[in-house]
Amino acid sequence: MTTTAPESTVVVGAGIIGLSLAWHLQEQGARVTVLDRGMIGQGASWGNAGWVSPGLVTPLAEPGAWRHALKGLVDRDAPLSIPARLDPELLRFLLRFSRNMTAARWLKTLTSLQPITHLAEAGFAELIAAGVHATLTPAPITLGFTTASAAQAYTTELAHLRHVGQDLSFEATTDPNDTALFAPAITHAVRVDGQSYIDPGAFVLALAESVRARGGKIMENCAVTDVQDDAVSASVLTSAGDTIRADAVAIATGAWLPRLSRRLGVKVGVQSGRGYSFTVDTAHTPTGALYFPTQRVVGTPYRGALRIAGTMEFRHPDTRLNSRRANSVRNAVRPLMTGVDWSSMRDVWVGARPVTPDGLPVIGRTRSSRVFASGGHGMWGIVLGPVSGRLLARQIMTGTAPDELTHFDPTRR
């Protein structure tokens, strides 16, 4: 066991999870080297919707989600896509995932997430106040529905979330600033206030610049093949044959987390749940983000245009982009939106989100006292990234896990 705060640390992964951790390690006095197999923020951090919406953080394995799973096996355009030919690892994940599709387990998971979600927005404010040159834009999220029953069902769910402790304020809206892009097919709209969004790619780059400005080293295109430890240090081995030693190592590689962490006792089972996005031009810029819950598609203002994102595709993280899935996202909302130039569709992207069977991230110490992990945030990696970094940095530097990480032990069964 380490008995003193580490002076040198290595973080594997340069997305918002890894860079937030690196920044907070520096804040607490550690020297930091960050390694990434690709470029900064190239994974799930770059092309996602950029929502900072802690009030909407909920477990993916919701009651009744099996219906989406069955549809995903037979409908190639369903919001959830599952390969017809399941590999053994994915099958094990889906079986474990299905055990959590009960109301009792959903509520337990939601309750376990609340201590960290309540700190999420402050995590962004702290970074920006300390000099990370990025913008957090406060804005509502407007939900669109094609039927009164769908709107009522989701409003009931929001009321339930608020009742169990989520910080939520919502109401029906006809504000033209909120609904300017809704087609006549959208008959009911609900505005959720008190949320925010970021340009995720710009935020991650600004975070990397801050880490470098404070003396950190970031090595891109540097794949790590193994993480080891001994009595005096930890080390990472790179594909170039180099060995980098440090007092502590943290693995924050998203959907690739099992490759380096399984041998260290992290057997929760992190599965790649790939999401697609693209950018389109619009006649009007919405006040904030848009969400079509039935279709599970979102839209976020992005550099004068609109970034549209959706789908959950359970495939290997290195699988090539499937343009059909991007088109499925487009086709799902095209009848529901007006003032959108669909011919301007560009920046088509796929990113692998790390999903756990129980809906809880893995944040904390592995079987090794010198090696830590942070991942498995699912669709909520952006909103929970900064606060995850702050809490794990505290554990690494003090040897004691904060109470907010109680349920996120990487070695849990």
Side-chain angles (χ1 to χ4, degrees), residues 141-152 172-176 178-191 289-298 331-340 342:
I141 298 173
T142 305
L143 288 58
F145 303 90
T146 59
T147 65
S149 59
Q152 181 58 51
T173 181
T174 56
D175 187 335
D178 296 334
T179 61
L181 295 180
F182 285 171
I186 297 297
T187 58
H188 294 76
V190 175
R191 187 181 67 239
L290 308 176
Y291 182 31
F292 302 90
T294 303
Q295 293 73 26
R296 299 187 179 239
V297 177
V298 307
N331 295 339
V333 293
R334 190 167 187 166
L336 309 180
M337 301 183 71
T338 187
V340 178
W342 297 104

Side-chain angles (χ1 to χ4, degrees), residues 19 51 125 184 246 299 331 394:
L19 288 170
W51 284 17
N331 295 339
R394 188 191 308 170

Side-chain angles (χ1 to χ4, degrees), residues 15-285:
I16 195 168
I17 302 292
L19 288 170
S20 295
L21 172 58
W23 192 94
H24 281 286
L25 286 170
Q26 290 177 310
E27 191 74 357
Q28 297 193 38
R31 299 191 309 275
V32 176
T33 299
V34 182
L35 312 177
D36 196 277
R37 67 198 290 267
M39 307 294 287
I40 293 169
Q42 188 181 59
S45 291
W46 184 85
N48 67 81
W51 284 17
V52 180
S53 53
L56 296 179
V57 172
T58 55
L60 182 62
E62 61 190 8
W66 58 269
R67 291 190 298 269
H68 301 297
L70 291 176
K71 186 176 182 181
L73 283 169
V74 298
D75 184 354
R76 296 175 65 188
D77 293 321
L80 175 62
S81 175
I82 301 174
R85 296 179 63 183
L86 301 181
D87 63 74
E89 188 170 338
L90 176 57
L91 180 59
R92 284 193 296 271
F93 168 83
L94 291 174
L95 289 173
R96 295 165 69 185
F97 185 83
S98 67
R99 296 190 192 110
N100 291 284
M101 295 179 189
T102 67
R105 292 198 179 190
W106 184 88
L107 181 58
K108 181 180 179 181
T109 301
L110 179 66
T111 303
S112 300
L113 286 166
Q114 285 186 0
I116 192 171
T117 60
H118 289 166
L119 299 174
E121 191 157 359
F124 283 88
E126 177 184 12
L127 293 172
I128 293 170
V132 175
H133 299 298
T135 301
L136 176 69
T137 303
I141 298 173
T142 305
L143 288 58
F145 303 90
T146 59
T147 65
S149 59
Q152 181 58 51
Y154 202 87
T155 302
T156 300
E157 182 176 338
L158 291 175
H160 179 62
L161 290 174
R162 184 167 60 187
H163 177 73
V164 299
Q166 295 286 81
D167 186 10
L168 276 174
S169 173
F170 58 91
E171 63 179 354
T173 181
T174 56
D175 187 335
N177 289 325
D178 296 334
T179 61
L181 295 180
F182 285 171
I186 297 297
T187 58
H188 294 76
V190 175
R191 187 181 67 239
V192 180
D193 293 311
Q195 310 304 307
S196 305
Y197 66 88
I198 61 171
D199 176 335
F203 193 96
V204 171
L205 288 175
L207 193 52
E209 290 173 5
S210 183
V211 169
R212 282 173 167 153
R214 302 193 321 164
K217 184 177 182 180
I218 301 178
M219 301 172 62
E220 299 175 284
N221 298 312
C222 181
V224 173
T225 58
D226 197 11
V227 177
Q228 301 176 351
D229 72 327
D230 54 37
V232 295
S233 68
S235 59
V236 298
L237 281 63
T238 74
S239 57
D242 299 321
T243 299
I244 302 174
R245 296 188 178 278
D247 297 325
V249 171
I251 306 170
T253 52
W256 294 267
L257 187 71
R259 293 182 182 177
L260 298 176
S261 64
R262 185 179 286 115
R263 186 182 60 80
L264 296 160
V266 182
K267 299 181 180 180
V268 173
V270 176
Q271 170 64 38
S272 165
R274 305 193 329 156
Y276 283 76
S277 74
F278 53 86
T279 302
V280 289
D281 295 326
T282 58
H284 306 281
T285 301

